[in-house]
Amino acid sequence: MRRIPAVITTCAATLAFLVPAGLAAAAPAEQSYTVVPYENVKVRKLPTKDSAYLATLTAGQSYTAYCWTHGQTITDHGYTNDIWIGFADGFSSAVYFKGDQYANLSASAQC
């Protein structure tokens, strides 16, 4: 039997947490939330607009999010917020999602 170092197993578990809905073979055990962007929004590797671009979420579609974190402050359409929504593989500014300042994620769902 092949043994896998604990570090690799831990990294794999962390990466599984970051996989977007529909792309993972199995859903993460952590709490998930449904979020809906009101306009197309980019997913970034880190919670900053200058971070690497990963994907675009389509306005009006539902997506699975797992947590929120503080990141770069974004101002758009009269809203200012430093909350970024955590998906399986990246982050999007909460400014672009329907709901409250956390895109309706629980205030305790901090990454």
Side-chain angles (χ1 to χ4, degrees), residues 16-72:
F17 177 78
L18 298 177
V19 177
L23 295 181
E30 290 81 6
Q31 174 71 40
S32 64
Y33 302 85
T34 299
V35 295
V36 179
Y38 66 85
E39 70 175 54
N40 291 350
V41 61
K42 294 178 181 176
V43 178
R44 302 287 185 172
K45 184 171 178 82
L46 300 172
T48 171
K49 69 178 183 159
D50 298 322
S51 182
Y53 165 82
L54 299 175
T56 298
L57 304 180
T58 303
Q61 298 294 314
S62 295
Y63 295 92
T64 300
Y66 296 101
C67 61
W68 63 267
T69 190
H70 293 282
Q72 181 179 15

